[in-house]
Amino acid sequence: MKQVNDKDNKVILELNHIEKVFGSTTALKDISFSIKQGEIFGFLGPSGAGKTTTIKILTGQLNPTSGDAAVLGKDSKQIDEEIYEQIGIVTDTSGVYERLSVYDNLKVYADILSVDYKRIDDLLLRVGLEKQKKQKAGKLSKGQKQRLVLCRAILHSPKLLFLDEPTSGLDPTTANQIQNLFLELKEQGMSIFLTTHNMEEATKLCDAVALLDQGKVIEYGVPKDICLRHNDSKRYKLILSSQEELTMDHSPQNIQKIQELMMNNEVEAIHSCEPTLEDVFIKVTGRGLV
Ligand SMILES: Nc1ncnc2c1ncn2[C@@H]1O[C@H](COP(=O)(O)OP(=O)(O)OP(=O)(O)O)[C@@H](O)[C@H]1O
């Protein structure tokens, strides 16, 4: 269910007019958005756009130059270790105990966070690491290590999960499995803040996205609404009985041609071609996302 406009939901995270300056570089310019409970929010932008800086501000690792941010009702400048009981963070694969087994890595955290060991097995199964349970973490592939770090971040069922490029480097089947896990966690009420370059992933998962370019939010809202807002040159894709594919602009001549093809029973399928988020980004900035 799209929840971006649901005013009854609790705000979990909020940024108001955040600016961050590093020397002569203004990394973030007037960033404002909020995330509600059970919402997956996508922060999309090319390398250097300011995504990591934003996560660092929201997790208390950096202070903004101006503006304010609140996470679970707490001012980001006042964030201390206590908040880690309620949030999970996956920004890289650091912090894995290489010499311990996959299971023991998670057991260490389960003990600290008073989590039932049964959840370790459940999660290993969910992320497809059950066969690696006894394997030393140092022997895992990059994608397997990424999944171990994800298990660690969600072990204690946090209210808010930060994910930096969570499926980059994973094969499509595993990426799909992980994306379905995110949707399940959302259904359970978890809010997820994710950064990604992958527009398809954002469209599939996110209730709302912000497109970031050079430190500025250039579009914000429900992915489908953003795409429809930029659908200014309507086009149609036709698949004919001959299997030929035709893409046609919306014009009186083309509409007549489509009508004729339909009357002659030559049309197998017809779709409207809305722009993708990637098309929107290119249109607004003149550049691609990667
Ligand atoms: N500690 C720092 N000192 C100086 N400049 C910095 C610092 N951290 C980030 N920047 C600059 O701020 C801008 C935003 O960087 P940031 O790492 O937030 O981008 P990003 O969108 O996360 O990129 P990527 O996708 O490559 O991780 C860049 O111009 C970067 O060079």
Side-chain angles (χ1 to χ4, degrees), residues 22 25 27 46-53 197:
F22 294 108
T25 307
S47 184
K51 304 179 298 290
T52 310
T53 304
H197 289 109

Side-chain angles (χ1 to χ4, degrees), residues 6 93 96-97 118 124 141 184 252 287:
D6 186 351
T93 52
V96 167
Y97 300 109
K118 190 181 169 296
L124 289 177
S141 71
E184 218 174 273
R287 292 186 310 279

Side-chain angles (χ1 to χ4, degrees), residues 84-151:
Y84 293 109
E85 287 168 22
Q86 299 185 72
I87 66 175
I89 309 174
V90 184
T91 48
D92 53 30
T93 52
S94 61
V96 167
Y97 300 109
E98 307 264 322
R99 291 186 187 180
L100 291 186
S101 70
V102 166
Y103 186 84
D104 286 345
N105 258 278
L106 295 173
K107 200 160 153 269
V108 169
Y109 284 90
D111 287 339
I112 296 170
L113 300 160
S114 309
V115 173
D116 193 326
Y117 294 159
K118 190 181 169 296
R119 182 152 168 87
I120 299 178
D121 289 306
D122 288 348
L123 285 179
L124 289 177
L125 197 65
R126 286 300 283 113
V127 303
L129 275 184
E130 72 280 13
K131 289 199 189 98
Q132 284 75 26
K133 186 176 164 175
K134 293 185 182 157
Q135 198 171 311
K136 285 221 168 72
K139 296 255 153 64
L140 296 176
S141 71
K142 183 173 169 270
Q144 289 168 336
K145 214 179 260 183
Q146 231 170 312
R147 284 178 275 156
L148 171 60
V149 175
L150 174 64
C151 284

